[in-house]
Structures are given as structure tokens and as C-alpha cells.
Amino acid sequence: MEKPEDKPEDAKEQEETKPEDAPETAPETASDTPPEETEEKPERIDEEPHIFKKVKEIRFGVLSPKLIKKMASAKIVTPELYDKEGYPVDGGLMDVRLGVIDPGLKCKTCGQKLKECPGHFGYIELARPIIHVKFVSIVFNLLRCTCRECGHILIPKNRLRSQLNILDAVQNESGLESRRDKIKELITNLKTINKCPYCNAKQLKITLEKPTTFIENDKRISPIEVRTRLERIPDEDLDVFGINPEVVRPEWMVLTVMPIPPVTMRPSITLESGERSEDDLTHKLGDIVRINQRLFENINAGAPEIIIEDLWDLLQYHITTFFDNNIAQLPPARHRSGQPLKTLTERIKSKEGRIRHNLAGKRTNFSARTVISPDPMLKLNEVGVPLIIAMKLTVPERINEWNSDYLKTFVQSGPTAYPGANYIIRPDGKKKKITDETKEQLLEEMQPGYTVERHLMDGDIALFNRQPSLHRMSMMCHRVKVLPFRTLRLNPAVCHPYNADFDGDEMNLHIPQNEEARAEAEILMEVQTQLISPRYGLSVMGCVQDAISGNYILTKSLEMTRHEAVALLSSIGIENFSKLPRKDSVHGREIFSVLLPDDFSFIGQSRDKEDNAVIIRKGKLIKGVMDKNNLGEESGLLLRNLHKKYGADMTIDILSKMFRLGVKVLLKHGFTVQLSDSDLPDKSKTKINDILRKAEQQVNELIKEYREGKLDAFPGRSARETLELKILELLNKARNETGNVVISDSSQDTPTMIMAQSGARGNLLNLAQMAACVGQQAMRGKRIEKGYKNRTLSCFKQHDLSPSARGFISNGFKSGLSPAEFFFMGITGRDSLMDTALRTPKSGYLYRRLANALQDLKVEYDQTVRDASGGIVQYSYGEDGIDVSRSENGMINVKRVIDLVEGEGR
Amino acid sequence: MIIAKRDYMKKKIHITKHDLLPKHVKISEKEKKAILKKYQVTLKEMPKIMKADAALQGMKAEVGDMIKITRKSPTAGEAVYYRVVTDA
Ligand SMILES: [Mg+2]
Ligand SMILES: [Zn+2]
Ligand SMILES: [Zn+2]
């Protein structure tokens, strides 16, 4: 932190002026920087002249009594609120100088009306000093660490320097609070010093009787005495405590005057009966002012000390609970109804407090949130909205002479019939609720210039969002489709960009309320505009699960009569069957081709290892099967090329038809995963057992070699490590071999196999684990070795290195695991569960920091990438200037471009 | 093994000759002006490089000089980047 240049010598003098002067001096010092160097000298690049005002420092201080008086616009002297006419009393808690909360009144301080006047502080003079609860711990530390006579810190002058260095080190490590703890510790450690090293005064033991009473040798230190002791502490010694005497003098922590918050932060509400109900803070302030007045009167009248003490304690109680009504040692102040008052601390703290409820947890109107569920019959850019929600969310429509009759039908239906309207807004901004009583009158009144808030209808524009919103595809614009039931619905193909599934996920819906917002959402955010990912240039939406299985079955082997094919196609919304060949039996490829545009040609690859060519010529799928490589999200160029040639709208249309075709094919064909999918012929079972037995034999031989010391170690490895590596390799090989047996020997056309081969769900490893052998369970790349002493589980012998004793599972899921195997699986399962649970928040935080650092970079018209202040980050986007979403794999395929241009010429 | 280690210790490494270090060249005052004009910027908006940066060894670069960096890129062939020398 920089010290201000104009630092007056007398800190006492400065205490008042400093806090207010600070904002004025700050810009001055900024402009005082040395003048720009002349042209010839090398330019300094460190200053940033394009930033006009820069926050140099933020200081936290304590209000001084002088400052409290200075910032106050009224002195409060009476607990009364209103006079007989109901007008605020001068010098009362609702004084008009503190701001206005009544319409029609003007603020006496700033002259503004309700909602314009920000409110102004007042103050009261306290009859006796009061300890501020929130500073008790600091005051306690200061009292114990300083001399009761002269106020000096209880460390001898010659040792102060070295102690200061220790304190600085502690503060650097763990902050101010621990610095204060450390100094307390230092003082208690120096117990031999019960004498002040400066004035030799004897020091007494001070204790704190919570919440606000200080006791010295069984005698109470009155707040007056506390304050005078704090006053004696010299500025230099305050530095030791981490207090900056320019903005905090410790005696300010004992109140002699108290600020009265403006009425605007404690408005009264008028009940239906016309009675006024005051805010909790006003109640509390009333108590404070009343007791304070009584205390003044008693002191002036020379009342006995006991009475004064009692009133003083009462005042302390009221001021303490004004700041915090949740102090453990104090009974909370209550309403007459018995419910505790909500005072300053309660307003800020906790989930319902200002920070978490109002600042961090702001809610927006015209939005909805519920569970989501899938509906493949929706278009990609539609969202299914439950009727109940559609009748709550509204769209404002301005009445003009052409739509007047149309809008009147909504008002006629009212809020309970769909499609109706909930509110009418008059040109002056007054909102009128439509009810059965007001309906007739409002219909009369309606005319151009009025606005009707009608129910949500099909085709309205909505923003749809799922947290965490990590990329721009997490919030897209959809068209509303009003549906029955209670969930928001979306096409399963758009799950991927939202990263949504249907195991209870919830999503948010927002309805833009004006033309500008709607246009922006439609042009920039609609689903089809987000189809191609800017990250890798492939489609982020595609077929999933059943849709892939269905198209795979269809294009691989399915044949049906033309009649059936027409029925199938019409069920997915196709009406033009002219592309379907006019013969009795049509192949699945011919049915699929109906979806493709006539002039579309494509050459790609499917997942099949051999014979993987996919050829589409002139809109006809000639060869190959449709699987995840071509239909799936983030894979293959089929969707990308469709997008490039025919545009976004047509692509999502084709995609949703493909999706529905897949689902309908499965519906027609039937598709069930069954236990017998993983059945193996007997000879395969013996093969698998042979492989496993042989592997175990080999491992046992290795272990024998190792035990006899004959095992040659790998370079840089111990014999034991070598053994482990060799065993792992052997067992892995064995498992893979069993997997290959399963893949080649199990029947190829089972639903499980189809899913694995098409890429819809699962892989061949999963199948092998079910049918044959689960394999080695590994933790951190090693076999399981921990558990009991020298063994993994108590059912094995110590030092048993055999596969089964170290986490090799030779059973498959279908035959079932032995108890020990089950336990090993539990170990690795738990380990990976913990790993994900711990890693997710960490990587999420890292991603957020990255995204925040890069969020305002943009490509300017001169192709450079610049930050918010115009600084260059890259001279050309990505150093090659390529827009990935318009490239193939980050590169421009020049040959394809030439072909395209030449093709047009021909 | 030991001999190899001693050889390694003896050898002085010249970072500027390393294959992975892109080419750094100090450009003339005239070229510098042209770059500033082309991108409509002052030195403040330019990317920076520390005067003490190892890539500037033996270049006698002073604060305010402009360095042209030519990088190899799999997609763009060669990518050019400019940095201004700074000391803080
Ligand atoms: Mg989920
Ligand atoms: Zn005012
Ligand atoms: Zn003393």
C-alpha cells in the first residue's frame, strides 16, 4: 500500500479528514504521474493511460465520533416517531432530514422525493460510552497487551524490533488475525513481565465476561475506563497490532456517539387496517433513544449510582442487540409476539441474509425451472413447456389497430383458460390483473397503446439453459411447444451440448420480453446456429443411443415391403415418397436415402474394421452402414458436410428426421437386451478357462523364479517391481485373449452386439467382462497390495502373490464374482468414485478461472485478437486466422475448395 | 554412465541455437513504426517480452525495441508475432 504524499504529522488531526479526503486525492495522484516522455525517448509501456480512473487501494476503517457527527444530517433526541397529524417529529427517528418513505413528502436534506432520495444518516449522543460488541475481541487483546497506566505495549523497547519481525512473518503466512493471536501469545509467554517495561506499573489480570464486560482483579472496568486506556495507546504501538492509526483509533471501538441509519433502510409498512408497522431496526433504535434519554435525565438529576448503572447496562444491552441479536450470552430482543427482532447482523448473515439471498441469489422474472425429460418427436429447436408453466409465463403484446380483436380474445379467456392473458398494462405503466370482476371493464378500456401479457404459446421464443453453463451452447434459444404434464421436454439430440441426461436433471427457461431481446436470441442463439462447434468444427448434436442402433439395423440388413416403408416414413413426418423405389421390397438403405437431399454426395467411413466405406452418391446411400461415426455427435463429416452445403435449418431438419427414423425402426423391429446375449458355446468356455489356467500357471512360475532369486530384473527396477510388471503384462494379455474369444464366438446379431458395433452404447470390453472375465483390478497402476499385514484379505496366506490374492477377477459378471473378487472390485470402485468426486470441483474451478481470464478477447476488424483495453493478444486468430467452425480439422481443404469451384464452372 | 554425465556438465547450452526456440529478430526503427501504423496501436497495446528473456541473449535489445518472432505452425506454415522489450 502506498502512503499518501500529503501526510500530516499529527495523526490525531488527520483522523477526521483522511477518510473523506481519500476519494478526492486518489484521482489527483493518478494525474500527478510524471508527464509522458517526449517522442525521442524510448516509450515506457508500463503505464496505462487509456485507463482513466484506477482503484489504487481500498481501506477499511472504523468511524470516528467526529466523522459520525460530520456525516449525520440530524441529531436524534426523541424516541417519538410521528405527531398527532401523522407527520414525522423533528429530531425523532423518522425525521424528514433522514430521508423520506412517504409519497408526497420531500427530503429536508437533499430536497428529493421518495425513491430519489438515498436517505441520510443521523446520530445520537450517548450519555455514557458503550462497548461495540463487534469489536470486543480486539479491545480485549489491546487491553491485555498494553500497560494499564501508560498505554505502551508490554514489550521492552530493545526487544520490540525482533518481535516485530516475527510478527511480520506470521502475518505474511496466515494473516492479521493470527498476528493478533501471536502477539497475545508473546505477551502471555512473557509472564515474567507483570511490570510495565516503560513505567514499571504493576499489571493486573484482565478477563472478559461475555459479551461486553471487562474484569480486572474481580473489579469491573467501566467502558469509560476502557476508553481512556485505549486512548493512551500510542500510534506507533498500534502498528504492532496490525491497526493503521490513520483510519482506526482503538478508542473509536467504544461508542460515544452512534450513527442512526437512514429511514430508507428501515421503512415502515402500512397495514390494511391503516395502522403503521415499524421496521425492527426502528423499534430497536426507539429503545436505544428512550433509555439514552432516561440515562441523561438521571445523570443530570444526580440519581443514585445504582440506578445509573442499571440504565447504563440496559443501554449496553439495547445497543449490543441492535448490532447483533444472536449473542449467545444475551437473551435476544423480541417482538411482543415473542418472535426475535431482525437487527443489523441478521440482515446480512445467513442464507436468508442480504449477501446470499439478494446479492448472490438474485432471481429473475419470466423464468421457469423443472425436471427435464426426452421427446424425440419434438424438433431439435423446440422445447416442450408444461401447460401449467405456459399459463404463468407471459409475453407482452402491444395493442394496435390490427391486432386489437386478436388480443381481446386472450383477455376474454382471462388467466384461467388457455390461451388467455394475466395482465394488462396501461400506457402509463400501471399493471392491471385480469380477473372475472375486472375483465369486462378492462375489455372496454383496451385500446392501441395498451399492452396485453398473454400466455405462452406454440412458436414463442424462449432461452433454455442448464448449469453449469460452461460454453455458449449451454444456453440456446428454442421455440415453445406447449404440452401436457409437468416436465420441460427436449429432443434427446440436444442433450449433448447441454450435457443433460434424464436422471433428474433440471433446466431453466427464460422468456425474452421485448422485440430486441427476441431478435437477438433468435439470430445469435437459436439451436441451429450452434450446430457446428467452434472448438473442433464438428456437429455437437447428433443421433444417440436408440437412434444409432435403429439406423444401423435399418441400413445394414433390413428389408421390408414398400407398403411398410411408406408407413414407417410417414410416421416420422415425411410426405413425399417419390424417392422410394417403385418395387415390392425395399432395402433399408433406400429408406434412409429418402431423408437425403437429391444432390448430396459423400464418402466416409463407418466403424466396421474391414469394409468400412460409406458412399452416398446423388442423394442415395449406395454402400455402407450408418453408425456412430456418421450420425453421432462430435464425430464424422456427414452432418458437417450437410451443414456446409444446405445450411443449418435443413441440417437440423434432416437430423431430427434421422433421429426419429432410428427410433421408429427400433419400435417396429423390436430390440431387447437379454441375458442370453452373453451366452457362449461350451467349447468357448473351455477355451477361456484354458487361457486363464495357463496364465495362472505362468504367473506361478514367475513367482517361483522370483522366490528362488532367479528372476532377472529390468534395468532400473528391483526384482520385485519386475515381477509385478511381468505379472501385470501376462494377466492383461490373458484377459484380452478371453475378450477376443468372446468377440469371435458369441453370436454377432444380438442386440448387445449391435449396440457395441454401432457405437450406440457399450463396447466389446463390456461384453467380454460380462461373458468371460472381468480382469485385473488396479490402483495407481499396481495390483492391489494393501489391506491386512502382508496380504490383501484375511482369507489369503501372507505374502501370497498369486493373481487371485492380488485382485485378479477371473470370473465374468454373468457367472458371478467370488466374495474376495467382489471385495477387490469394491476397492477400485470406491477409489474411482472418490477420485471423480474430488477432481470435479477442482477442474471446474480451473476452467472458470481460464474462462474468466479470456472472456472479453475478441477478433477485431483488422483480424487481430484483442482484450478489452485494445491490447493485442494475437496478430491473427490462432496464428493462422482460421475459423475452426468453417474448417476441416482446423485446416482448409484446398482441394475440396477447388473441386467445388471447378464443379460450378463445368 | 558417469562419463556421459561429466560431458553433459561441461557442455554450455546456447538456448538461442536450440531447435525448439522460434526465431527472434530485433527489427529496425522504421519497421517498428510501420508495424505500429499497420495495427493502429501504441507500444502499450503490444505484447511484451522481458529484456532479460533468454531468447534475447546477445541481441543488445533495449527497452522499447521491437522483436519479430517467426514461429513454425502446422496449419499456417509460418506465423509472425511481434513483442516489445520491457524491463518490468
Ligand atoms: Mg444427470
Ligand atoms: Zn435526502
Ligand atoms: Zn506503563
Side-chain angles (χ1 to χ4, degrees):
Chain A
M1 268 200 192
E2 278 175 61
K3 289 256 159 78
E5 285 102 310
D6 55 341
K7 190 187 171 193
E9 283 78 11
D10 189 358
K12 279 268 160 35
E13 185 62 58
Q14 202 195 355
E15 69 186 47
E16 275 22 306
T17 56
K18 198 62 235 156
E20 275 151 306
D21 284 359
E24 280 145 39
T25 49
E28 245 175 65
T29 43
S31 62
D32 274 353
T33 45
E36 292 276 294
E37 274 99 327
T38 42
E39 281 268 10
E40 298 313 304
K41 276 193 194 164
E43 256 180 289
R44 297 286 311 179
I45 55 173
D46 312 315
E47 288 120 40
E48 293 167 85
H50 46 272
I51 295 171
F52 298 108
K53 282 186 183 175
K54 219 174 161 182
V55 178
K56 195 156 136 205
E57 56 181 57
I58 297 176
R59 283 196 203 175
F60 293 97
V62 175
L63 293 178
S64 68
K66 270 193 200 165
L67 185 63
I68 291 172
K69 282 185 198 168
K70 207 168 159 188
M71 70 182 201
S73 46
K75 184 176 180 179
I76 306 304
V77 288
T78 161
E80 281 163 68
L81 302 177
Y82 308 99
D83 60 18
K84 278 179 226 105
E85 284 89 53
Y87 188 81
V89 177
D90 271 359
L93 282 168
M94 305 307 270
D95 194 311
V96 275
R97 287 173 293 176
L98 301 186
V100 281
I101 50 166
D102 294 286
L105 285 182
K106 263 191 185 165
C107 169
K108 265 194 187 169
T109 303
C110 64
Q112 294 180 98
K113 284 180 296 200
L114 176 69
K115 282 191 179 163
E116 291 162 355
C117 164
H120 314 279
F121 273 91
Y123 80 97
I124 55 168
E125 194 95 43
L126 297 175
R128 287 277 165 95
I130 298 294
I131 305 227
H132 193 310
V133 255
K134 294 288 166 184
F135 293 117
V136 163
S137 60
I138 298 177
V139 169
F140 185 43
N141 274 347
L142 287 170
L143 287 180
R144 291 212 297 184
C145 299
T146 53
C147 170
R148 61 192 301 270
E149 297 283 332
C150 70
H152 272 102
I153 187 162
L154 292 176
I155 300 176
K157 214 168 197 161
N158 50 3
R159 279 163 75 182
L160 197 59
R161 194 64 255 160
S162 62
Q163 303 288 19
L164 259 177
N165 292 337
I166 296 171
L167 289 177
D168 284 343
V170 170
Q171 187 184 358
N172 267 335
E173 195 131 308
S174 39
L176 263 180
E177 208 46 58
S178 40
R179 183 193 171 110
R180 292 203 191 99
D181 291 343
K182 183 78 190 169
I183 190 174
K184 214 164 53 183
E185 191 189 311
L186 278 177
I187 302 271
T188 37
N189 282 350
L190 298 170
K191 256 187 186 155
T192 43
I193 305 184
N194 46 15
K195 231 167 40 176
C196 172
Y198 296 85
C199 69
N200 288 331
K202 193 165 181 278
Q203 301 301 314
L204 301 173
K205 189 172 165 50
I206 300 174
T207 52
L208 171 64
E209 192 177 282
K210 281 185 171 173
T212 50
T213 319
F214 296 103
I215 311 278
E216 189 180 51
N217 270 14
D218 300 329
K219 241 186 81 200
R220 181 171 170 184
I221 318 174
S222 79
I224 299 178
E225 169 68 13
V226 171
R227 197 176 146 92
T228 48
R229 284 197 195 179
L230 293 175
E231 272 170 4
R232 277 199 291 261
I233 303 174
D235 278 358
E236 311 84 74
D237 286 3
L238 285 177
D239 268 346
V240 183
F241 295 98
I243 292 173
N244 175 5
E246 280 169 27
V247 282
V248 186
R249 276 296 312 173
E251 64 267 23
W252 301 344
M253 295 175 190
V254 181
L255 300 169
T256 52
V257 293
M258 199 180 94
I260 301 289
V263 287
T264 43
M265 67 171 275
R266 45 184 174 90
S268 56
I269 40 170
T270 316
L271 297 175
E272 267 166 56
S273 56
E275 238 182 313
R276 273 201 133 146
S277 174
E278 296 299 334
D279 190 273
D280 286 6
L281 280 187
T282 310
H283 280 296
K284 201 73 236 178
L285 286 168
D287 292 340
I288 292 171
V289 175
R290 193 173 336 101
I291 301 302
N292 192 44
Q293 287 309 112
R294 290 240 309 268
L295 189 52
F296 259 128
E297 284 157 18
N298 276 294
I299 292 168
N300 290 340
E305 198 55 30
I306 313 160
I307 293 176
I308 291 175
E309 288 268 320
D310 275 356
L311 279 171
W312 194 358
D313 281 344
L314 193 56
L315 184 61
Q316 176 75 61
Y317 168 78
H318 282 310
I319 290 182
T320 300
T321 49
F322 169 73
F323 288 117
D324 189 347
N325 201 15
N326 254 325
I327 304 259
Q329 294 80 7
L330 284 182
R334 290 172 192 279
H335 277 292
R336 250 161 297 175
S337 63
Q339 145 211 14
L341 291 168
K342 274 199 131 190
T343 53
L344 283 179
T345 304
E346 289 79 57
R347 276 196 180 196
I348 300 164
K349 243 185 23 191
S350 92
K351 207 168 172 191
E352 282 77 43
R354 210 94 307 161
I355 308 256
R356 279 170 73 185
H357 190 77
N358 301 97
L359 292 173
K362 279 190 282 190
R363 302 293 173 115
T364 174
N365 287 330
F366 305 106
S367 65
R369 178 186 173 96
T370 30
V371 176
I372 52 166
S373 45
D375 187 345
M377 298 313 277
L378 285 174
K379 288 187 196 142
L380 242 69
N381 64 339
E382 278 180 330
V383 54
V385 180
L387 184 66
I388 320 158
I389 288 179
M391 288 169 73
K392 274 271 170 347
L393 296 178
T394 55
V395 177
E397 277 207 64
R398 181 80 51 96
I399 302 174
N400 55 47
E401 55 180 300
W402 301 284
N403 69 5
S404 165
D405 289 340
Y406 165 72
L407 288 176
K408 269 183 182 158
T409 59
F410 294 113
V411 180
Q412 187 69 57
S413 318
T416 47
Y418 182 86
N422 293 350
Y423 287 94
I424 282 180
I425 304 166
R426 294 212 184 99
D428 64 359
K430 267 254 156 55
K431 229 178 190 183
K432 282 280 161 195
K433 197 173 170 72
I434 303 171
T435 59
D436 287 341
E437 292 85 56
T438 58
K439 197 188 281 176
E440 292 308 314
Q441 191 243 319
L442 286 171
L443 275 170
E444 287 288 292
E445 196 187 327
M446 268 174 72
Q447 52 173 297
Y450 278 55
T451 303
V452 175
E453 290 202 326
R454 51 144 252 252
H455 289 163
L456 210 56
M457 295 201 302
D458 286 3
D460 280 336
I461 279 169
L463 295 183
F464 202 33
N465 160 240
R466 180 184 177 273
Q467 285 94 355
S469 316
L470 294 176
H471 53 199
R472 65 184 202 194
M473 288 85 86
S474 290
M475 188 183 247
M476 292 191 287
C477 166
H478 289 247
R479 306 285 169 143
V480 169
K481 177 90 182 166
V482 180
L483 296 175
F485 312 124
R486 319 188 130 238
T487 56
L488 289 170
R489 258 142 295 172
L490 52 109
N491 188 301
V494 292
C495 282
H496 184 253
Y498 289 118
N499 190 23
D501 49 36
F502 304 107
D503 59 4
D505 288 24
E506 291 180 48
M507 281 178 75
N508 312 320
L509 190 79
H510 300 266
I511 310 300
Q513 293 291 304
N514 60 50
E515 287 74 17
E516 209 181 345
R518 279 192 288 269
E520 201 171 288
E522 210 180 321
I523 293 164
L524 300 175
M525 304 172 71
E526 204 172 4
V527 173
Q528 50 266 46
T529 64
Q530 306 293 315
L531 197 62
I532 302 297
S533 164
R535 200 167 85 212
Y536 39 73
L538 295 171
S539 174
V540 282
M541 294 157 220
C543 295
V544 282
Q545 310 215 344
D546 278 9
I548 291 177
S549 306
N551 279 305
Y552 180 83
I553 292 170
L554 180 73
T555 53
K556 185 160 193 190
S557 53
L558 219 55
E559 279 199 51
M560 57 182 86
T561 64
R562 191 168 194 277
H563 196 78
E564 285 173 312
V566 167
L568 181 67
L569 286 170
S570 77
S571 75
I572 63 167
I574 286 177
E575 277 142 19
N576 180 0
F577 309 107
S578 57
K579 264 193 90 176
L580 207 59
R582 295 185 181 283
K583 52 186 183 184
D584 283 343
S585 173
V586 287
H587 190 272
R589 278 196 291 274
E590 290 163 329
I591 300 170
F592 183 83
S593 301
V594 174
L595 308 183
L596 299 170
D598 282 338
D599 54 347
F600 183 66
S601 296
F602 175 78
I603 291 174
Q605 290 171 342
S606 64
R607 285 164 59 93
D608 209 319
K609 282 211 180 69
E610 60 264 1
D611 192 27
N612 61 357
V614 173
I615 301 168
I616 297 171
R617 202 174 295 147
K618 296 232 167 74
K620 285 206 170 70
L621 179 61
I622 292 171
K623 189 178 174 302
V625 291
M626 283 294 138
D627 57 23
K628 193 174 180 225
N629 261 16
N630 288 301
L631 301 174
E633 52 218 12
E634 291 190 335
S635 51
L637 293 171
L638 178 69
L639 292 170
R640 225 209 81 75
N641 287 2
L642 277 171
H643 179 267
K644 198 168 188 178
K645 191 156 183 196
Y646 304 101
D649 293 313
M650 199 147 155
T651 312
I652 62 154
D653 186 53
I654 294 172
L655 177 57
S656 47
K657 278 176 186 158
M658 284 175 179
F659 200 104
R660 265 174 275 162
L661 180 63
V663 175
K664 292 282 173 179
V665 165
L666 274 201
L667 208 61
K668 185 177 149 57
H669 180 258
F671 196 76
T672 315
V673 178
Q674 49 205 320
L675 195 60
S676 61
D677 285 359
S678 51
D679 275 348
L680 288 175
D682 286 340
K683 68 168 181 17
S684 316
K685 280 185 193 158
T686 34
K687 247 198 269 179
I688 288 166
N689 285 335
D690 283 346
I691 293 169
L692 291 177
R693 204 175 322 119
K694 222 175 82 194
E696 195 175 345
Q697 253 167 37
Q698 284 171 321
V699 170
N700 286 337
E701 267 162 44
L702 275 175
I703 294 171
K704 209 173 127 208
E705 263 181 63
Y706 165 71
R707 292 259 150 85
E708 290 164 1
K710 285 183 199 157
L711 192 75
D712 285 334
F714 288 142
R717 300 269 187 192
S718 69
R720 182 66 216 275
E721 286 167 345
T722 310
L723 176 72
E724 283 296 316
L725 287 173
K726 284 192 165 174
I727 291 175
L728 268 178
E729 195 196 330
L730 256 172
L731 293 176
N732 255 329
K733 218 179 87 206
R735 208 210 62 87
N736 288 337
E737 275 170 37
T738 61
N740 288 334
V741 171
V742 171
I743 291 158
S744 61
D745 287 11
S746 61
S747 45
Q748 295 298 302
D749 49 359
T750 62
T752 310
M753 209 63 180
I754 287 172
M755 287 200 297
Q757 271 163 357
S758 65
R761 206 80 233 252
N763 53 37
L764 295 175
L765 180 87
N766 295 148
L767 184 61
Q769 285 193 324
M770 287 192 281
C773 159
V774 174
Q776 179 67 49
Q777 297 299 301
M779 276 184 76
R780 297 186 200 160
K782 284 182 184 145
R783 300 198 296 162
I784 291 167
E785 45 197 25
K786 283 204 198 94
Y788 292 85
K789 186 180 173 192
N790 297 326
R791 52 183 166 173
T792 50
L793 288 173
S794 51
C795 59
F796 298 111
K797 282 189 179 138
Q798 288 197 21
H799 300 289
D800 188 353
L801 294 178
S802 67
S804 56
R806 290 291 154 124
F808 184 76
I809 302 178
S810 52
N811 278 311
F813 287 127
K814 193 178 166 201
S815 61
L817 272 52
S818 76
E821 288 173 338
F822 196 90
F823 206 90
F824 289 130
M825 196 138 194
I827 292 174
T828 49
R830 181 68 63 91
D831 183 63
S832 74
L833 193 77
M834 286 304 296
D835 192 58
T836 11
L838 298 177
R839 205 182 36 221
T840 315
K842 232 176 214 165
S843 66
Y845 178 54
L846 229 59
Y847 179 88
R848 234 169 62 92
R849 306 229 327 208
L850 187 69
N852 285 340
L854 298 180
Q855 66 179 353
D856 49 26
L857 301 192
K858 76 178 200 205
V859 180
E860 299 286 347
Y861 284 109
D862 67 352
Q863 305 272 301
T864 56
V865 180
R866 303 202 186 202
D867 61 24
S869 56
I872 291 178
V873 176
Q874 286 179 336
Y875 291 89
S876 180
Y877 174 72
E879 302 203 322
D880 51 20
I882 291 174
D883 177 352
V884 180
S885 65
R886 285 155 198 273
S887 73
E888 275 174 32
N889 243 323
M891 293 207 247
I892 303 292
N893 188 336
V894 180
K895 189 171 171 290
R896 202 187 292 271
V897 176
I898 293 172
D899 282 354
L900 208 76
V901 174
E902 278 190 337
E904 262 164 33
R906 250 183 263 141
Chain B
M1 293 300 261
I2 297 164
I3 299 163
K5 191 180 175 189
R6 204 181 294 146
D7 276 358
Y8 169 78
M9 300 288 279
K10 264 190 221 159
K11 203 164 174 183
K12 173 125 177 136
I13 295 170
H14 293 279
I15 288 180
T16 46
K17 292 190 183 127
H18 196 282
D19 187 45
L20 290 176
L21 186 83
K23 199 168 90 188
H24 285 61
V25 182
K26 188 167 92 180
I27 61 175
S28 73
E29 207 59 21
K30 205 174 134 200
E31 285 173 286
K32 179 175 143 185
K33 287 263 155 63
I35 294 296
L36 293 181
K37 186 139 188 277
K38 179 179 174 193
Y39 291 107
Q40 291 285 307
V41 286
T42 58
L43 291 183
K44 284 135 204 141
E45 280 96 34
M46 295 283 284
K48 294 160 201 164
I49 187 169
M50 286 290 279
K51 196 181 164 188
D53 195 293
L56 302 187
Q57 271 171 27
M59 210 183 277
K60 290 198 189 114
E62 289 306 319
V63 172
D65 284 346
M66 197 179 284
I67 307 292
K68 180 181 177 182
I69 303 165
T70 315
R71 299 169 181 159
K72 288 195 195 94
S73 153
T75 49
E78 274 188 351
V80 185
Y81 204 82
Y82 300 96
R83 289 184 181 279
V84 173
V85 180
T86 180
D87 55 4

